[in-house]
Amino acid sequence: MTGEITTLPDIDPLLLRILPNPRPGTPPPSSKLVFGKTFTDHMLTVRWTSAGGWEAPVIGPYAPLSLEPSAVVLHYANALFEGLKAYRSNTGRITLFRPDMNMSRMNRTAERIALPTFSGPALIELISELVRLDASWIPQEPGHSLYVRPTLIGTQNALGVGPSTSALLFVICSPVGPYYKGGFKPIALLATTKHVRAAPGGIGSYKLAANYAPGIIPQLEAAMEGYAQNLWLWGPEHFLTEVGTMNLFVVLRREDGATELVTPPLNDIILPGVTRDSVLSLARSHSSTPLPGLPENFIVSERAITMPELVSASKAGRLLEVFGAGTAAIVCPVDRIGYLGEDIIVPTGERGMGPVSEVMYREIVGRQTGVIPSDWAWVVKE
Amino acid sequence: MTGEITTLPDIDPLLLRILPNPRPGTPPPSSKLVFGKTFTDHMLTVRWTSAGGWEAPVIGPYAPLSLEPSAVVLHYANALFEGLKAYRSNTGRITLFRPDMNMSRMNRTAERIALPTFSGPALIELISELVRLDASWIPQEPGHSLYVRPTLIGTQNALGVGPSTSALLFVICSPVGPYYKGGFKPIALLATTKHVRAAPGGIGSYKLAANYAPGIIPQLEAAMEGYAQNLWLWGPEHFLTEVGTMNLFVVLRREDGATELVTPPLNDIILPGVTRDSVLSLARSHSSTPLPGLPENFIVSERAITMPELVSASKAGRLLEVFGAGTAAIVCPVDRIGYLGEDIIVPTGERGMGPVSEVMYREIVGRQTGVIPSDWAWVVKE
């Protein structure tokens, strides 16, 4: 009909086809798990074309993808991903941690490189189905989980640089052990003045594949100098931005005696991390619902912070903690920052983690594992 | 032997295996060619592992690749490419244009994301073999060529962000028609102050996949406003950097009467283009070996140039030409630049291309097609 507006199909969980893996594998012993090396029996795939929209979702055996050598993802990095975790309690209850946050970020990132967007609730439903199907792969030991990796790639088989006319969304799952084995291990950072992770007007606030490979060499360079990760700076002022692939938090004692938790504000160069948001939400709730272990006079600031401010706080004995925040580690304490040829020593406390990070770790893990009831835990299976 | 230094194998053309395509295709009529949509009968693949180095090269039928869903290239953009052209003269002579430049840039780019490097001459030898095998696919009409696309991707099947432990180098070929059909078509540029292509300390000088998908949305936004491509700026000074996916040249009449060809100097934010280098070399040779059509008092400058300088030159009637330079178009004249809500009109002459760009086009095409003898044309087949 002339003038009729047609809407292309969104992802529809009602159309899901499940092809069970005829040769299911055996999960390795939890003690042998290495991040992202072992995958479960099944994967979810959903294809998209610009002419037909999203096709019927399929959960089938974990298997290689067939991609034309001209597929744009291999040439122009039309690719993005998310990372979230499913937890299994000792009662068998399975939850996902804040998957709605991942879905909205994934859609926002897809728009940035002209890949198709989709219904977040629909993909959560499909991921839940996948996780239920492979539930036996979720390790139950404390600190263990199933890492869920949704990925979206452009599959157009033509080399023109433009919006991909076809795409593939897939979700794979990998059982993972705890980030810290046998106590917290603070890491040393190199505040790099040679490389930048992102720039204003660039893509640093999107979870694009393009933001990751470029960080490998800077990380190796930091390692050569004895530092575990980069502290990414920006501009002649040396603004602190992120830590490796994590968001950054700094705890300062202000001159008025208050304890201030600082993280750089969301803008073009900061990834809106789910753990970052969780830390901020918990820290802000402290004024109405006190969290045991946090100081009374506690201020939460999303504000710019520079290396000179950090150095001066350190010299005045007012630098209390520095930590990274991300899905893999939850919080990652920092004990040393190399900057312009000198090391700034950061307190970490006796247990390897400062008081604020320790509270954040406890509160987030509690909500992930169900010890602390929370609407951040989305029930996949009771 | 203890202490022995072992070197992993480099790419070795002597190990090449050729598996002829049992079902060769038919090249489409040259008039129907669309850039990068049709591929020849064969492709070159060379696998690499961190443990074993480069494996034996294979030229086999053009066919899909099998990639694990965990392959790092799909998640972290461990990918890079090159683009070069093979030309076939009416005597059947086949040449590649300056492939040594592509090889050195490809190796430099591979190092930047911890992908393996290789012998450039070895890969040129293998590409030559591939081009000879698929020589019937090279259109002979003027302005036509075979576009050769070497690509290198990380294929490690594990999600850790680090140097990929395996890689695949592949080369595919696509017959292409002339960029300009029926006369030069100058394009309009939008000097964008919203997006940046690259930043100091970033990856803009490498031909990484990661530099391309992020440019798609800015290009669509420019198109919505009636401009063909972005003119990428940098910094509060609004330095000119690149045009879409091409290098940038500006021709000015200086106040002392000289004609100045300006291009931004190579640094972190400028891709070292082969055509850029060819334009500079030719322009510089003019002082010793005059090129007909270029003015006598002609100065070649690799120097920074800002939008305010361009605006002021335009107002004074001293802005003579603006053009992009790249493998696809060779030179691409610009007739209009949108900047801060106003349009700067750029002269293009009666034939749609200013005098300097026209000379550059003539001289480069002459060397590509063999009309002008040059050591830039590498003979693949006499």
Side-chain angles (χ1 to χ4, degrees), chain B residues 235-266:
Chain B
E237 303 87 351
H238 290 176
F239 289 111
L240 284 72
T241 68
E242 298 199 7
V243 174
T245 59
M246 292 181 280
N247 289 116
L248 168 81
F249 285 86
V250 176
V251 185
L252 300 171
R253 180 174 301 118
R254 300 209 316 190
E255 291 185 12
D256 66 5
T259 301
E260 184 187 20
L261 175 67
V262 182
T263 196
L266 293 184

Side-chain angles (χ1 to χ4, degrees), chain A residues 294-364:
Chain A
L294 285 191
E296 261 186 43
N297 193 355
F298 187 65
I299 289 160
V300 182
S301 301
E302 285 181 85
R303 67 166 175 90
I305 180 168
T306 65
M307 283 306 296
E309 182 182 351
L310 202 79
V311 169
S312 119
S314 170
K315 285 187 178 153
R318 299 190 294 100
L319 176 60
L320 304 183
E321 292 176 51
V322 174
F323 60 95
T327 293
I330 305 169
V331 300
C332 177
V334 172
D335 61 1
R336 188 165 60 98
I337 301 174
Y339 177 60
L340 302 180
E342 297 197 13
D343 272 357
I344 303 164
I345 303 301
V346 185
T348 51
E350 282 176 19
R351 285 192 297 275
M353 198 180 264
V356 173
S357 20
E358 194 166 3
V359 170
M360 292 302 153
Y361 185 80
R362 180 194 72 211
E363 295 293 324
I364 294 175

Side-chain angles (χ1 to χ4, degrees), chain B residues 208-242:
Chain B
L208 286 169
N211 283 321
Y212 291 82
I216 295 172
I217 287 289
Q219 200 274 325
L220 293 181
E221 288 176 3
M224 294 272 284
E225 296 186 44
Y227 300 90
Q229 289 288 349
N230 286 286
L231 173 54
W232 300 103
L233 306 180
W234 175 254
E237 303 87 351
H238 290 176
F239 289 111
L240 284 72
T241 68
E242 298 199 7

